[in-house]
Amino acid sequence: LTALMAITACGSSGTSTPTGNTTELTVWHYWDGNNAQAFERLAKDYERTHPQFALKVVTVPGADLLTKLQTAAASRTLPDIAIGDLVWVPRLAGTGRLADLKPHIPASTWNDIYPEMLKFGSSGGKQLSIPVSANTLAMMINTDLYAKAGLDPAKPPKTWEELSAAAAAIKDKTGKPGFELYTQPGDSGEGVTWNFQVNLWQAGGEFLTPDNTKAAFNSEAGRKALGFWVDLIREDASPLGPWGAFEKGAAASAQEGSWMVGIWKDKPPFPFAAAPIPYPADGKPATNMGGEQAVVFSTSQHVKDAAAFLGWFSGQSLGWSKATGFLPTRQSVAGSADYLGSLDPLMKPFVEALPTARARPATPLYPQVSMAFAKEVEQAVHGKKTVEAALADAEREVNAILAAG
């Protein structure tokens, strides 16, 4: 066991040794720890039930996987299958090396997957990826701070207006901000953009046009969402600074990812609860989605067989979600008594948000777009630009990126 763990820690492990009668499929992914072990177990299950196949599972650090795949695409040394962050799919599609999975996986599988998740891999009638894990955002609450402010954490705010009132009460009673916003772009901008998109969608707006060729956020909904952020900061209801105040107990609530429930499961830093993200009284619920998607490369000699494995893997959504804490990609699983009966109650708001989860724009230019947008949001929340000027400048920057291609 020690030797096997050492091999895994080095980044590569094969689930079995192929013989002359087996077809070997190579899979690259970036999962580690419990998630990697759960995937290894499923790979071995597949080999037991499909003895004609051997799976060579290779773990690549998350910071290196996309670059390694792009390099391999240029040198034609790609694996059969790769599993990575869903926002990578458009960039991998840009290599021209992704196979269409739609003909090789039953329609019943595609119909059971949340439609919004399929947008990342949808291109010209083809489906270039299949979702294999999901996560969403919800609001997490420091129940101690809520109680100290005389608020009932079991009755969290449901609207922006209620959130603003609660934040003011918390600041008055505890001296701490009531709701943390993500205000620093960092090295990617995505923390700001990923969180802001939720409020934009809630207000009825869109981030880009449907064809992803122009910005769409400089709208009445965009001004309303960014104005909401600016007001929270101006009222001292949200801190300006590096992300992490809520996680340190220095803010009463924040939008957090479903993975935080698992991270805090054994040793939470303080008593906490989870709730749906508040939305404007005249708006609608929305959240952002994350997770991993799998692709098959057209350079593989076993495209059909690789796609069949991924179809099988998608069918293991119940056991996979239970083992890893990822949210299901299959609608039938997310609503099943078996899954819901085993669910940590703290995960309920994240699961209930799945039908309202939205996809970020599926364009290979998204990383540049996200950074340009986040920098302008930063200007607005610091009071260096008005909401209108920040959105207009962001629109100009983003349109230039999209036009340049």
Side-chain angles (χ1 to χ4, degrees):
L1 177 59
T2 302
L4 178 59
M5 291 174 68
I7 292 170
T8 303
C10 290
S12 176
S13 64
T15 57
S16 70
T17 302
T19 69
N21 297 322
T22 60
T23 297
E24 183 177 80
L25 301 174
T26 301
V27 185
W28 290 2
H29 71 83
Y30 59 35
W31 288 312
D32 56 14
N34 175 68
N35 297 338
Q37 293 169 17
F39 184 66
E40 285 278 353
R41 289 194 297 271
L42 281 174
K44 290 175 181 176
D45 286 346
Y46 189 75
E47 290 178 331
R48 279 193 291 270
T49 56
H50 300 75
Q52 69 273 36
F53 296 107
L55 293 171
K56 181 181 179 183
V57 178
V58 180
T59 305
V60 181
D64 302 331
L65 181 54
L66 180 58
T67 300
K68 185 172 181 178
L69 286 168
Q70 291 172 320
T71 301
S75 61
R76 294 180 178 272
T77 55
L78 287 160
D80 300 287
I81 298 167
I83 303 173
D85 194 301
L86 48 75
V87 297
W88 295 357
V89 174
R91 298 173 72 180
L92 292 174
T95 66
R97 301 278 192 267
L98 297 189
D100 182 11
L101 302 179
K102 185 177 279 188
H104 307 300
I105 295 175
S108 58
T109 296
W110 298 117
N111 293 338
D112 194 25
I113 295 170
Y114 286 97
E116 197 74 8
M117 295 179 186
L118 297 175
K119 287 185 176 181
F120 291 96
S122 179
S123 177
K126 298 179 179 180
Q127 190 63 42
L128 304 178
S129 67
I130 183 168
V132 294
S133 71
N135 50 62
T136 62
L137 294 170
M139 186 169 76
M140 289 178 64
I141 295 168
N142 183 323
T143 57
D144 279 350
L145 288 180
Y146 258 64
K148 287 179 182 178
L151 301 173
D152 184 355
K155 298 179 180 179
K158 295 181 179 180
T159 66
W160 287 2
E161 295 78 9
E162 290 177 3
L163 177 60
S164 296
I170 291 164
K171 182 68 176 180
D172 180 58
K173 298 293 185 179
T174 71
K176 295 181 178 181
F179 184 74
E180 182 181 18
L181 293 168
Y182 209 121
T183 58
Q184 289 193 348
D187 59 1
S188 72
E190 187 59 357
V192 173
T193 306
W194 149 272
N195 280 275
F196 181 83
Q197 285 169 341
V198 173
N199 299 129
L200 175 66
W201 294 326
Q202 289 176 331
E206 296 294 340
F207 192 68
L208 299 183
T209 56
D211 60 2
N212 295 327
T213 60
K214 290 184 179 179
F217 49 73
N218 188 15
S219 62
E220 181 180 349
R223 291 185 286 275
K224 183 174 182 177
L226 187 52
F228 174 58
W229 279 38
V230 170
D231 288 345
L232 283 174
I233 290 167
R234 186 180 294 146
E235 295 163 4
D236 210 19
S238 184
L240 263 180
W243 175 256
F246 169 71
E247 294 171 11
K248 296 174 183 175
S253 63
Q255 281 182 181
E256 290 277 6
S258 49
W259 56 86
M260 289 301 297
V261 174
I263 291 174
W264 284 358
K265 182 177 181 180
D266 295 326
K267 293 183 179 180
F270 46 77
F272 71 96
I277 301 170
Y279 57 92
D282 58 351
K284 57 186 179 182
T287 189
N288 217 322
M289 71 167 66
E292 283 83 30
Q293 300 206 359
V295 299
V296 174
F297 294 100
S298 56
T299 50
S300 169
Q301 296 180 7
H302 311 290
V303 168
K304 183 177 180 180
D305 295 330
F309 166 69
L310 293 178
W312 176 89
F313 182 27
S314 176
Q316 311 308 305
S317 183
L318 175 60
W320 173 243
S321 297
K322 285 184 176 182
T324 61
F326 290 133
L327 304 186
T329 59
R330 306 282 288 260
Q331 299 176 73
S332 61
V333 172
S336 69
D338 196 348
Y339 175 68
L340 295 174
S342 65
L343 193 66
D344 185 328
L346 290 166
M347 289 291 288
K348 186 177 179 182
F350 298 98
V351 175
E352 291 179 340
L354 278 168
T356 68
R358 297 286 304 275
R360 286 163 281 175
T363 167
L365 298 171
Y366 182 76
Q368 298 98 297
V369 166
S370 178
M371 186 54 139
F373 177 79
K375 285 182 176 180
E376 292 301 328
V377 171
E378 184 182 34
Q379 295 291 305
V381 298
H382 280 272
K384 296 179 180 180
K385 291 184 180 180
T386 65
V387 166
E388 292 77 12
L391 288 174
D393 289 346
E395 180 181 40
R396 188 162 41 252
E397 292 272 348
V398 167
N399 283 343
I401 291 168
L402 295 172

